[in-house]
Amino acid sequence: MALDKNWFVEVAPEAGFAQALKIRGKLHEEQTPYQKLEIFDTEDWGNLMTLDGLVMLTARDNFVYHEMMSHPPVMTHPAPRRVAIVGGGDCGTLREVLRHPAIEKVFQIEIDEAVTRAAERYFPELTEANDDPRAELLFGDAIEWMKRQEPGSLDVVIVDSTDPVGPAVGLFQRAFYADCLQALGTTGVLAQQSESPLLHLDTLKAMRAEMKAAGFEQLRTYQFCQPTYPSGWWSATLAGIGVDLRDFREQDARELPFTGHYYSADMHRGSMAMPPFIERALAEG
Ligand code: AG3
């Protein structure tokens, strides 16, 4: 069947891959100082946000990504209190982090305020926790912000970025990771979205090499399904200092004070298992 104008198509030319969502219409289009932001009304996936033609989220499946970006790092740190979210302007990761009563403070540093304003309007369920007194929404360059943080002032850093293109390139580089590491001090966990383990294994390897070079002791890539991202198979990577990333607060994860849709203690453990071809590729460095 040929696709007409009733389909939004994301093309990943580097992977010879494209995917499409059937749309009813476009709700919003804006050229921000950083990127082209569009919101579509889809037939079956609820509202869709894209940046420069790439799917950021749909109402239907963003819960997988947002839960897997927030709960694994928070449950891996032995006593998380202070969190920074880099990017994440739609506030979905922020909402999940704030579900943990032990968290005292969450900074969200998003470069493009238009993303948050659009989320407030078209994805109000994601921004519903924004008035939480523990949340501080900052709009600016997180690379600069991270340099200014006191050593050891953060417990968890979550990099909820776009692909490593445009303003996000620096978020995949050693200098930024080194600044995160110093803000984490002697005990901390960084989590970053790390693309499709099938389509972007080279990107994943390069990112891990930068994390290692910055001084992180341990790395752990994990996986989850994300139907509306290219290949539907996505990953995130934990980088740790003074924390064993093979372990997590499993008992606490079995008694969460909220109900996960995707995340659970078993899903946490399961997400860390990697197919042998990826294990081998990552072991090669
Ligand atoms: N996360 C975007 C991940 C990258 C998606 N890539 C793609 N579609 N090619 C940011 C939005 C969720 N908070």
Side-chain angles (χ1 to χ4, degrees), residues 38-50:
E38 291 167 289
I39 310 282
F40 299 91
D41 174 20
T42 75
E43 267 314 314
D44 293 294
W45 297 79
N47 284 353
L48 159 69
M49 181 191 286
T50 67

Side-chain angles (χ1 to χ4, degrees), residues 64-128:
V64 179
Y65 178 90
H66 288 134
E67 290 188 27
M68 291 307 280
M69 287 298 290
S70 44
H71 307 315
V74 168
M75 298 310 290
T76 297
H77 194 286
R81 291 183 300 117
R82 293 171 63 84
V83 179
I85 298 167
V86 170
D90 54 65
C91 306
T93 299
L94 175 65
R95 183 188 68 178
E96 293 306 315
V97 170
L98 289 166
R99 290 193 199 280
H100 296 268
I103 300 297
E104 293 168 5
K105 181 82 196 176
V106 190
F107 300 97
Q108 176 178 284
I109 314 95
E110 163 65 49
I111 200 162
D112 194 347
E113 186 167 353
V115 173
T116 302
R117 298 298 158 237
E120 284 166 345
R121 183 150 170 217
Y122 297 105
F123 299 90
E125 68 282 13
L126 298 184
T127 61
E128 70 193 9

Side-chain angles (χ1 to χ4, degrees), residues 244-263:
D244 187 355
L245 301 180
R246 285 165 305 187
D247 216 2
F248 65 108
R249 291 182 288 114
E250 184 159 357
Q251 196 49 40
D252 292 350
R254 295 203 180 280
E255 295 161 6
L256 291 172
F258 57 88
T259 310
H261 284 287
Y262 190 87
Y263 181 85

